[in-house]
């Protein structure tokens, strides 16, 4: 049996995992990062649009600060988020972006003088003053009051990921790719590392560590059509679930993006609409202003996706051999703008749809349809990033439910979360590793290794059984049809029942290719049952949540129900069960800085209020008024309303142009 | 009527100690509208040979995983449409990288070593206060750095390079481009002498025979040739060379 020891084990080498590894390595810990693929190929590389941070540099960002970013994030979450965590996040985001700038991310910079932008389909002149010249620029994104999304053309994730990966190489982090964590080692409610399969040799090795951090990204691939990379299968989430101790939060909160290219599912960034692009229907009509007069095409993602579905249901979609879709028109931005700021978008349209989006008129319109895009749910953690129930297991990035996104994530807040959480959670994690000893017997480790070895042998030994690809495709179809943008009780019942049957079936698959080494079919065979567990957590959570909040839309319960549902769903899995155990964690309104209210979209009455909201709102208003009279500044007021934990280094005030 | 496509794929599994033979295997599938090599290979794996190994991650031309030899040229398979190819499509793994199995090669280890060798990170001596306003950068300079930062480490330029075939330790256009990228980044304080230390030899900038294989194959259209020439001129001025 092989055992490898390190101080800090990070599972997942996307932005979140690598930034956490840097935090651990900076504190002198021996740090290992595992990844399915070379880390620079992680899904983070695909993020195009940008990263939110309230620098307030550009003209259209003036007046931006932590408070505005916080309020956008809380409203965006449809009050489902943890407000303390959202505060930690917005306070650190400007520092994260400035750190990345120092590490060489070539953020697009402001040029002084006049320049043209398309706002609400009209060419508008924006003047940037001299003192802004050369500072980090930002663009508009859905659901934000200010232009806050910083970018490098439309390859933001790529440039961020390369900078953070290179920084890890510099600090001698031990990066091992083509290594898959397939189980966690734990004993007496404490986590000691992972059981890892080498995807080339098939070797099963125990990676034993003082602390373990899961940053394996989202679980979009449980859906049939998704913008996610093919490796986003939720295995990291599943291994936490399979401990029976760690819990998952809000798994039913799944985001659908309005503008992936149809039918391939390749994303056209929100930056398209942020920069002034618009949606059009079969008549070439721009329909979003009819539904959302205020925010139009830049309402938040859940809202735009639903409006598009609604509009297509009215017969306003465009029919094609693959089904119905709508158009995204960026041609109005002009060729020059597209060729500079939306070049990847242009390349994608050319390669995958055979159109040049810079061509004027309908010729350049791209077919789009809302698709699965982001997993708000994940491994439930405390604000420090540690599992609430399994000591020594940390998680951050899309894999985690740290919970600053609640039921809907704003564009640009995800890559921002990955690096910010990498800093904050990474530091708490490193401190944990410094203060912990590995006090586990090797026979316990051995038991975990042998179990997995036997499991693999057993999988290839069976000669008859079900085809794993069929089961997988069926699962994806069920999720697509019944656990999608619009959900209802009847469909969800069906989904849960059939997923459970599939899960039972998935334990009896026959693998045709018998190699224990590199063997894609064997990989499917052990992953699919895990994916089914994740899918069941999503479907069951959605079935039980009888309200609509953020991206979770129940047609049979159209109102957001603060009276009954201001709580986080927790799912766990008991060994031997075929269904998750569901519990809830209440959100405390009396501790909120912004008590629940109207989010600013659709009909105002679409809400079952919680009487405590009004009480807290009064309290907040009185406190603010009193402190303002006393001449207190916004930091002092905030601290009084809702104190939040954060490392001193990150809690420091962010300096902006106006402060000088 | 859609075409019937024939894929001739090189099969070889270095792990399989009993079968140490490399051979071509043929698979036939019906072409579908806007079919890419990614879609075709996935279909072959699901319906004909579940053991066929190949790599895709983003399937959108962004991550660089899927480079392979397609009818003799290194290309990103996810972005290659079958309609642009003849009926017979020959697929081979990228040369010069270690083979994992079939079409899957180990670029990650090579690229990480390359990154370490050219010290592919910002070298700076001053402490940055991340709570304070960032250092201003000329917008054109930021754009120029971005142009070179767009490399996705796909390995096409390495696979298409004659020098690399002769010189095992040649750093490749990808490595030379990385040097050029940091050389124009104002955050990096390294001097030309420092870069000379890293690549001022025959396995570096002076090994390149200017055959242009790299620039022709780069799917990101990086200006590799211009940049290599520029760096060569700069490094050639360093004394003691
Ligand atoms: C097309 C697209 C565009 C996007 N654009 C934006 C944007 O503009 N702005 C924004 O804020 N957000 C954007 N997002 C979202 C954002 O990119 C992701 O949420 C974020 O990058 C996730 O980062 P991560 O570090 O958590 O995980 P990932 O980058 O997904 O990394 C996961 C890592 O875990 C590894 N891994 C997985 N399972 C295992 C296992 N079992 N064992 C070992 N390793 C494992 C993988 O190899 C990988 O290294 C976009 C998403 C998509 C789909
Ligand atoms: S120009 Fe130089 S680096 Fe590029 S392919 Fe030719 S020899 Fe290789
Ligand atoms: S320089 Fe071009 S061809 Fe070479 S690795 Fe980078 S992207 Fe690929
Ligand atoms: S799969 Fe990412 S570039 Fe082809």
């Amino acid at each position: 049996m092989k055992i490898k020891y390190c101080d800090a084990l990070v599972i997942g080498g996307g932005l979140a995992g690598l930034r956490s590894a840097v935090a651990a390595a900076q504190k002198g810990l021996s740090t290992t990062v595992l990844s399915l693929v070379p880390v620079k190929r992680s899904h983070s590389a695909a993020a195009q649009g940008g990263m939110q941070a309230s620098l307030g540099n550009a003209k259209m960002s003036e007046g931006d600060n932590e408070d505005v970013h916080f309020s956008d994030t809380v409203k965006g979450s449809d009050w489902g988020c943890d407000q303390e965590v959202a505060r930690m996040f917005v306070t650190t985001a400007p520092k994260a972006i400035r750190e990345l700038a120092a590490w060489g991310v070539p953020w697009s910079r402001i040029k002084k003088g006049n320049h043209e932008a398309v706002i609400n389909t009209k060419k508008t002149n924006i003047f940037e003053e001299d003192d802004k010249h050369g500072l980090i620029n930002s663009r508009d994104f859905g659901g934000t009051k200010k232009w806050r999304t910083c970018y490098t053309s439309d390859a933001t994730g790529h440039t961020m990921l390369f900078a953070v990966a290179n920084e890890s190489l510099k600090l001698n982090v031990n990066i091992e790719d083509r290594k898959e964590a397939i189980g966690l080692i734990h004993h007496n409610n404490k986590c000691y590392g992972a059981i890892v399969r080498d995807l080339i040799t098939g070797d099963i090795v125990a990676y034993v560590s003082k602390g373990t951090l899961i940053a394996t990204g989202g679980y979009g691939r449980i859906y049939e059509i998704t913008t996610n990379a093919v490796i986003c299968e939720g295995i990291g989430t599943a291994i936490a679930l399979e401990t029976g101790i760690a819990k998952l939060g809000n798994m039913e909160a799944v985001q659908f993006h309005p503008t992936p290219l149809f039918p391939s599912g390749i994303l056209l960034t929100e930056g398209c609409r942020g920069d002034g692009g618009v949606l059009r229907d079969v008549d070439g009509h721009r329909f979003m202003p009819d539904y959302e007069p205020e925010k139009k095409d830049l309402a938040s993602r859940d809202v735009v996706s639903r409006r598009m579905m609604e509009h297509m249901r009215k017969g306003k979609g465009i029919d094609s051999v693959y089904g119905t879709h709508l158009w995204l028109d960026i041609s109005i931005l002009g060729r020059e703008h597209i060729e500079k700021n939306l070049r990847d978008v242009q390349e994608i349209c050319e390669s995958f749809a055979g159109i040049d989006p810079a061509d004027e008129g309908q010729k350049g319109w791209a077919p789009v349809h809302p698709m699965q895009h982001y997993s708000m749910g994940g491994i439930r953690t405390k604000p420090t990033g540690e599992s609430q129930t399994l000591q020594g297991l940390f998680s951050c990035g899309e894999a985690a439910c740290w919970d600053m996104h609640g039921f809907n994530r704003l564009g640009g807040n995800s890559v921002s979360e990955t690096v910010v959480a990498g800093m904050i959670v990474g530091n708490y994690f490193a401190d944990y590793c410094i203060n912990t000893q590995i006090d586990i017997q090797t026979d316990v480790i051995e038991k975990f290794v042998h179990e997995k070895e036997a499991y693999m042998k057993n999988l290839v030994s069976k000669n008859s059984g079900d085809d794993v690809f069929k089961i997988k495709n069926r699962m994806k179809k069920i999720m697509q049809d019944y656990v999608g943008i619009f959900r209802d009780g009847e469909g969800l019942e069906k989904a849960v029942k059939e997923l459970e049957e599939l899960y039972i079936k998935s334990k009896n698959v026959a693998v045709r290719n018998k190699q224990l080494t590199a063997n894609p079919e064997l990989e499917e065979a052990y992953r699919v049952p895990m994916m089914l567990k994740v899918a069941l957590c999503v479907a069951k959570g959605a079935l039980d949540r009888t309200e609509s909040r953020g991206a979770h839309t129940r047609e049979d319960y159209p109102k957001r129900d603060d009276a009954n549902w201001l709580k986080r769903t927790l799912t766990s899995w008991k060994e031997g069960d075929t269904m998750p155990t569901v519990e809830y964690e209440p959100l405390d309104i009396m501790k909120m800085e912004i008590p629940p209210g109207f989010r600013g979209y659709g009909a105002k009455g679409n809400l079952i209020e919680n009487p405590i909201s009004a009480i807290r709102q009064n309290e907040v208003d009185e406190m603010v008024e009193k402190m303002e009279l006393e001449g207190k500044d916004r930091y002092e007021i905030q601290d009084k309303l809702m104190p939040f934990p954060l490392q001193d280094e990150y809690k420091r005030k962010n300096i902006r142009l106006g402060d000088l | 009527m859609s075409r019937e496509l024939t894929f001739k794929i090189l099969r070889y599994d270095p792990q399989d100690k009993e079968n140490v033979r490399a051979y071509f295997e043929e698979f036939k599938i019906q072409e579908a509208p806007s079919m890419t090599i990614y879609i075709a290979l996935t279909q072959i794996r699901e319906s004909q040979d579940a053991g066929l190994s190949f790599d895709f991650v983003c399937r959108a031309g962004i991550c660089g995983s899927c480079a392979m030899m397609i009818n003799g040229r290194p290309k990103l398979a996810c972005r290659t449409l079958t309609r642009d190819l003849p009926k017979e499509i020959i697929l081979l793994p990228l040369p010069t990288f270690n083979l994992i199995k079939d079409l899957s090669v180990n670029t990650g280890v090579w690229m990480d070593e390359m990154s370490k060798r050219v010290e592919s990170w910002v070298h700076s001596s001053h402490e940055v206060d991340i709570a304070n306003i960032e250092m201003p950068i000329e917008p054109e300079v930021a754009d120029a750095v971005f142009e070179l930062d767009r490399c996705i480490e796909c390995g096409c330029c390495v696979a298409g390079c004659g020098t690399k075939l002769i010189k095992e330790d040649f750093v490749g256009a990808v490595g030379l481009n990385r040097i050029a990228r940091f050389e124009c980044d104002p955050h990096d304080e390294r001097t030309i002498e420092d870069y000379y230390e890293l690549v001022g030899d025959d396995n570096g900038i002076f090994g390149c025979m200017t055959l242009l294989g790299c620039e022709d194959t780069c799917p990101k259209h990086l200006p590799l040739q211009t940049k290599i020439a520029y760096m060569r001129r700069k490094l050639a001025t360093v004394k003691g060379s």
Side-chain angles (χ1 to χ4, degrees), chain B residues 28-49:
Chain B
K28 289 192 191 303
I29 56 169
Q30 277 314 114
E31 186 170 35
S34 47
M35 179 176 251
T36 60
I37 303 270
Y38 159 68
I39 295 174
L41 284 175
T42 310
Q43 203 171 311
I44 292 172
R45 184 193 278 172
E46 288 192 11
S47 61
Q48 302 187 42
D49 187 340

PDB file of all heavy atoms in Angstrom, chain B residues 28-49:
ATOM      1  N   LYS B  28     -16.462   3.860 -38.262  1.00  0.00           N
ATOM      2  CA  LYS B  28     -17.306   4.571 -39.228  1.00  0.00           C
ATOM      3  C   LYS B  28     -18.480   5.199 -38.490  1.00  0.00           C
ATOM      4  O   LYS B  28     -19.120   4.556 -37.652  1.00  0.00           O
ATOM      5  CB  LYS B  28     -17.829   3.592 -40.281  1.00  0.00           C
ATOM      6  CG  LYS B  28     -16.739   3.117 -41.241  1.00  0.00           C
ATOM      7  CD  LYS B  28     -17.349   2.384 -42.427  1.00  0.00           C
ATOM      8  CE  LYS B  28     -16.305   1.675 -43.269  1.00  0.00           C
ATOM      9  NZ  LYS B  28     -15.249   2.548 -43.799  1.00  0.00           N
ATOM     10  N   ILE B  29     -18.748   6.464 -38.795  1.00  0.00           N
ATOM     11  CA  ILE B  29     -19.958   7.096 -38.260  1.00  0.00           C
ATOM     12  C   ILE B  29     -20.593   8.006 -39.301  1.00  0.00           C
ATOM     13  O   ILE B  29     -19.943   8.453 -40.239  1.00  0.00           O
ATOM     14  CB  ILE B  29     -19.706   7.918 -36.968  1.00  0.00           C
ATOM     15  CG1 ILE B  29     -18.638   8.986 -37.187  1.00  0.00           C
ATOM     16  CG2 ILE B  29     -19.330   7.052 -35.800  1.00  0.00           C
ATOM     17  CD1 ILE B  29     -18.578   9.966 -36.021  1.00  0.00           C
ATOM     18  N   GLN B  30     -21.897   8.288 -39.092  1.00  0.00           N
ATOM     19  CA  GLN B  30     -22.618   9.207 -39.976  1.00  0.00           C
ATOM     20  C   GLN B  30     -22.318  10.638 -39.554  1.00  0.00           C
ATOM     21  O   GLN B  30     -22.398  10.964 -38.373  1.00  0.00           O
ATOM     22  CB  GLN B  30     -24.130   8.992 -39.853  1.00  0.00           C
ATOM     23  CG  GLN B  30     -24.750   7.872 -40.670  1.00  0.00           C
ATOM     24  CD  GLN B  30     -24.293   7.827 -42.115  1.00  0.00           C
ATOM     25  OE1 GLN B  30     -23.628   6.865 -42.501  1.00  0.00           O
ATOM     26  NE2 GLN B  30     -24.643   8.851 -42.910  1.00  0.00           N
ATOM     27  N   GLU B  31     -22.016  11.465 -40.499  1.00  0.00           N
ATOM     28  CA  GLU B  31     -21.752  12.865 -40.179  1.00  0.00           C
ATOM     29  C   GLU B  31     -23.056  13.586 -39.830  1.00  0.00           C
ATOM     30  O   GLU B  31     -24.084  13.348 -40.461  1.00  0.00           O
ATOM     31  CB  GLU B  31     -21.094  13.543 -41.385  1.00  0.00           C
ATOM     32  CG  GLU B  31     -20.638  14.957 -41.107  1.00  0.00           C
ATOM     33  CD  GLU B  31     -19.779  15.500 -42.251  1.00  0.00           C
ATOM     34  OE1 GLU B  31     -20.060  15.160 -43.416  1.00  0.00           O
ATOM     35  OE2 GLU B  31     -18.825  16.247 -41.951  1.00  0.00           O
ATOM     36  N   ALA B  32     -23.003  14.433 -38.800  1.00  0.00           N
ATOM     37  CA  ALA B  32     -24.172  15.237 -38.433  1.00  0.00           C
ATOM     38  C   ALA B  32     -23.835  16.705 -38.693  1.00  0.00           C
ATOM     39  O   ALA B  32     -22.667  17.048 -38.788  1.00  0.00           O
ATOM     40  CB  ALA B  32     -24.504  15.023 -36.965  1.00  0.00           C
ATOM     41  N   PRO B  33     -24.869  17.580 -38.818  1.00  0.00           N
ATOM     42  CA  PRO B  33     -24.574  18.995 -39.058  1.00  0.00           C
ATOM     43  C   PRO B  33     -23.717  19.565 -37.921  1.00  0.00           C
ATOM     44  O   PRO B  33     -23.900  19.189 -36.774  1.00  0.00           O
ATOM     45  CB  PRO B  33     -25.948  19.664 -39.069  1.00  0.00           C
ATOM     46  CG  PRO B  33     -26.945  18.570 -39.193  1.00  0.00           C
ATOM     47  CD  PRO B  33     -26.316  17.304 -38.731  1.00  0.00           C
ATOM     48  N   SER B  34     -22.840  20.447 -38.245  1.00  0.00           N
ATOM     49  CA  SER B  34     -21.846  21.052 -37.349  1.00  0.00           C
ATOM     50  C   SER B  34     -21.185  20.063 -36.385  1.00  0.00           C
ATOM     51  O   SER B  34     -20.983  20.338 -35.215  1.00  0.00           O
ATOM     52  CB  SER B  34     -22.389  22.276 -36.611  1.00  0.00           C
ATOM     53  OG  SER B  34     -23.643  22.052 -36.066  1.00  0.00           O
ATOM     54  N   MET B  35     -20.844  18.891 -36.916  1.00  0.00           N
ATOM     55  CA  MET B  35     -20.141  17.896 -36.106  1.00  0.00           C
ATOM     56  C   MET B  35     -18.658  18.282 -35.977  1.00  0.00           C
ATOM     57  O   MET B  35     -18.014  18.636 -36.956  1.00  0.00           O
ATOM     58  CB  MET B  35     -20.253  16.527 -36.773  1.00  0.00           C
ATOM     59  CG  MET B  35     -19.547  15.412 -36.025  1.00  0.00           C
ATOM     60  SD  MET B  35     -19.841  13.810 -36.842  1.00  0.00           S
ATOM     61  CE  MET B  35     -20.930  13.041 -35.669  1.00  0.00           C
ATOM     62  N   THR B  36     -18.178  18.236 -34.741  1.00  0.00           N
ATOM     63  CA  THR B  36     -16.749  18.479 -34.511  1.00  0.00           C
ATOM     64  C   THR B  36     -16.086  17.128 -34.216  1.00  0.00           C
ATOM     65  O   THR B  36     -16.769  16.135 -33.966  1.00  0.00           O
ATOM     66  CB  THR B  36     -16.541  19.391 -33.303  1.00  0.00           C
ATOM     67  OG1 THR B  36     -17.114  18.738 -32.159  1.00  0.00           O
ATOM     68  CG2 THR B  36     -17.210  20.742 -33.484  1.00  0.00           C
ATOM     69  N   ILE B  37     -14.746  17.115 -34.219  1.00  0.00           N
ATOM     70  CA  ILE B  37     -14.044  15.873 -33.880  1.00  0.00           C
ATOM     71  C   ILE B  37     -14.388  15.462 -32.442  1.00  0.00           C
ATOM     72  O   ILE B  37     -14.462  14.289 -32.112  1.00  0.00           O
ATOM     73  CB  ILE B  37     -12.514  16.049 -34.031  1.00  0.00           C
ATOM     74  CG1 ILE B  37     -12.190  16.502 -35.450  1.00  0.00           C
ATOM     75  CG2 ILE B  37     -11.768  14.783 -33.642  1.00  0.00           C
ATOM     76  CD1 ILE B  37     -11.933  15.435 -36.453  1.00  0.00           C
ATOM     77  N   TYR B  38     -14.627  16.452 -31.588  1.00  0.00           N
ATOM     78  CA  TYR B  38     -15.040  16.137 -30.209  1.00  0.00           C
ATOM     79  C   TYR B  38     -16.346  15.332 -30.195  1.00  0.00           C
ATOM     80  O   TYR B  38     -16.449  14.294 -29.543  1.00  0.00           O
ATOM     81  CB  TYR B  38     -15.203  17.437 -29.402  1.00  0.00           C
ATOM     82  CG  TYR B  38     -16.081  17.295 -28.187  1.00  0.00           C
ATOM     83  CD1 TYR B  38     -15.668  16.534 -27.089  1.00  0.00           C
ATOM     84  CD2 TYR B  38     -17.335  17.901 -28.129  1.00  0.00           C
ATOM     85  CE1 TYR B  38     -16.477  16.395 -25.971  1.00  0.00           C
ATOM     86  CE2 TYR B  38     -18.150  17.767 -27.016  1.00  0.00           C
ATOM     87  CZ  TYR B  38     -17.721  17.019 -25.940  1.00  0.00           C
ATOM     88  OH  TYR B  38     -18.522  16.865 -24.842  1.00  0.00           O
ATOM     89  N   ILE B  39     -17.313  15.813 -30.950  1.00  0.00           N
ATOM     90  CA  ILE B  39     -18.609  15.123 -30.977  1.00  0.00           C
ATOM     91  C   ILE B  39     -18.431  13.728 -31.563  1.00  0.00           C
ATOM     92  O   ILE B  39     -18.956  12.740 -31.029  1.00  0.00           O
ATOM     93  CB  ILE B  39     -19.638  15.945 -31.796  1.00  0.00           C
ATOM     94  CG1 ILE B  39     -19.903  17.278 -31.093  1.00  0.00           C
ATOM     95  CG2 ILE B  39     -20.946  15.170 -31.975  1.00  0.00           C
ATOM     96  CD1 ILE B  39     -20.781  18.247 -31.877  1.00  0.00           C
ATOM     97  N   ALA B  40     -17.647  13.623 -32.626  1.00  0.00           N
ATOM     98  CA  ALA B  40     -17.452  12.325 -33.275  1.00  0.00           C
ATOM     99  C   ALA B  40     -16.773  11.330 -32.321  1.00  0.00           C
ATOM    100  O   ALA B  40     -17.219  10.192 -32.172  1.00  0.00           O
ATOM    101  CB  ALA B  40     -16.623  12.506 -34.537  1.00  0.00           C
ATOM    102  N   LEU B  41     -15.700  11.766 -31.667  1.00  0.00           N
ATOM    103  CA  LEU B  41     -14.974  10.847 -30.784  1.00  0.00           C
ATOM    104  C   LEU B  41     -15.833  10.407 -29.594  1.00  0.00           C
ATOM    105  O   LEU B  41     -15.792   9.253 -29.169  1.00  0.00           O
ATOM    106  CB  LEU B  41     -13.682  11.496 -30.286  1.00  0.00           C
ATOM    107  CG  LEU B  41     -12.529  11.569 -31.301  1.00  0.00           C
ATOM    108  CD1 LEU B  41     -11.345  12.336 -30.724  1.00  0.00           C
ATOM    109  CD2 LEU B  41     -12.088  10.171 -31.731  1.00  0.00           C
ATOM    110  N   THR B  42     -16.600  11.341 -29.065  1.00  0.00           N
ATOM    111  CA  THR B  42     -17.475  10.992 -27.945  1.00  0.00           C
ATOM    112  C   THR B  42     -18.483   9.934 -28.379  1.00  0.00           C
ATOM    113  O   THR B  42     -18.751   8.970 -27.663  1.00  0.00           O
ATOM    114  CB  THR B  42     -18.215  12.243 -27.435  1.00  0.00           C
ATOM    115  OG1 THR B  42     -17.254  13.261 -27.224  1.00  0.00           O
ATOM    116  CG2 THR B  42     -18.948  11.976 -26.142  1.00  0.00           C
ATOM    117  N   GLN B  43     -18.987  10.119 -29.578  1.00  0.00           N
ATOM    118  CA  GLN B  43     -19.950   9.149 -30.108  1.00  0.00           C
ATOM    119  C   GLN B  43     -19.302   7.773 -30.305  1.00  0.00           C
ATOM    120  O   GLN B  43     -19.896   6.756 -29.952  1.00  0.00           O
ATOM    121  CB  GLN B  43     -20.460   9.678 -31.448  1.00  0.00           C
ATOM    122  CG  GLN B  43     -21.789   9.127 -31.855  1.00  0.00           C
ATOM    123  CD  GLN B  43     -22.302   9.893 -33.075  1.00  0.00           C
ATOM    124  OE1 GLN B  43     -22.307  11.126 -33.091  1.00  0.00           O
ATOM    125  NE2 GLN B  43     -22.725   9.176 -34.099  1.00  0.00           N
ATOM    126  N   ILE B  44     -18.087   7.767 -30.826  1.00  0.00           N
ATOM    127  CA  ILE B  44     -17.390   6.486 -31.021  1.00  0.00           C
ATOM    128  C   ILE B  44     -17.173   5.797 -29.676  1.00  0.00           C
ATOM    129  O   ILE B  44     -17.412   4.603 -29.521  1.00  0.00           O
ATOM    130  CB  ILE B  44     -16.034   6.706 -31.742  1.00  0.00           C
ATOM    131  CG1 ILE B  44     -16.282   7.157 -33.187  1.00  0.00           C
ATOM    132  CG2 ILE B  44     -15.182   5.433 -31.714  1.00  0.00           C
ATOM    133  CD1 ILE B  44     -15.025   7.585 -33.939  1.00  0.00           C
ATOM    134  N   ARG B  45     -16.771   6.569 -28.675  1.00  0.00           N
ATOM    135  CA  ARG B  45     -16.524   5.957 -27.376  1.00  0.00           C
ATOM    136  C   ARG B  45     -17.809   5.369 -26.778  1.00  0.00           C
ATOM    137  O   ARG B  45     -17.817   4.282 -26.234  1.00  0.00           O
ATOM    138  CB  ARG B  45     -15.928   6.980 -26.413  1.00  0.00           C
ATOM    139  CG  ARG B  45     -15.557   6.350 -25.068  1.00  0.00           C
ATOM    140  CD  ARG B  45     -15.268   7.399 -24.034  1.00  0.00           C
ATOM    141  NE  ARG B  45     -13.905   7.894 -24.146  1.00  0.00           N
ATOM    142  CZ  ARG B  45     -13.449   8.943 -23.444  1.00  0.00           C
ATOM    143  NH1 ARG B  45     -14.239   9.581 -22.606  1.00  0.00           N
ATOM    144  NH2 ARG B  45     -12.217   9.339 -23.592  1.00  0.00           N
ATOM    145  N   GLU B  46     -18.909   6.114 -26.903  1.00  0.00           N
ATOM    146  CA  GLU B  46     -20.137   5.638 -26.277  1.00  0.00           C
ATOM    147  C   GLU B  46     -20.747   4.463 -27.019  1.00  0.00           C
ATOM    148  O   GLU B  46     -21.409   3.623 -26.414  1.00  0.00           O
ATOM    149  CB  GLU B  46     -21.163   6.774 -26.164  1.00  0.00           C
ATOM    150  CG  GLU B  46     -20.759   7.768 -25.098  1.00  0.00           C
ATOM    151  CD  GLU B  46     -21.864   8.755 -24.733  1.00  0.00           C
ATOM    152  OE1 GLU B  46     -23.023   8.549 -25.148  1.00  0.00           O
ATOM    153  OE2 GLU B  46     -21.548   9.727 -24.032  1.00  0.00           O
ATOM    154  N   SER B  47     -20.551   4.401 -28.349  1.00  0.00           N
ATOM    155  CA  SER B  47     -21.280   3.361 -29.068  1.00  0.00           C
ATOM    156  C   SER B  47     -20.395   2.270 -29.660  1.00  0.00           C
ATOM    157  O   SER B  47     -20.877   1.194 -29.987  1.00  0.00           O
ATOM    158  CB  SER B  47     -22.121   3.997 -30.175  1.00  0.00           C
ATOM    159  OG  SER B  47     -21.261   4.663 -31.073  1.00  0.00           O
ATOM    160  N   GLN B  48     -19.073   2.536 -29.781  1.00  0.00           N
ATOM    161  CA  GLN B  48     -18.254   1.510 -30.444  1.00  0.00           C
ATOM    162  C   GLN B  48     -17.095   0.989 -29.603  1.00  0.00           C
ATOM    163  O   GLN B  48     -16.835  -0.203 -29.592  1.00  0.00           O
ATOM    164  CB  GLN B  48     -17.729   2.043 -31.784  1.00  0.00           C
ATOM    165  CG  GLN B  48     -18.874   2.474 -32.709  1.00  0.00           C
ATOM    166  CD  GLN B  48     -18.370   2.835 -34.087  1.00  0.00           C
ATOM    167  OE1 GLN B  48     -17.528   2.166 -34.652  1.00  0.00           O
ATOM    168  NE2 GLN B  48     -18.900   3.908 -34.657  1.00  0.00           N
ATOM    169  N   ASP B  49     -16.354   1.878 -28.961  1.00  0.00           N
ATOM    170  CA  ASP B  49     -15.228   1.394 -28.168  1.00  0.00           C
ATOM    171  C   ASP B  49     -15.047   2.243 -26.917  1.00  0.00           C
ATOM    172  O   ASP B  49     -14.469   3.328 -26.957  1.00  0.00           O
ATOM    173  CB  ASP B  49     -13.946   1.431 -29.005  1.00  0.00           C
ATOM    174  CG  ASP B  49     -12.787   0.776 -28.267  1.00  0.00           C
ATOM    175  OD1 ASP B  49     -12.866   0.650 -27.021  1.00  0.00           O
ATOM    176  OD2 ASP B  49     -11.815   0.393 -28.922  1.00  0.00           O
TER     177      ASP B  49
END
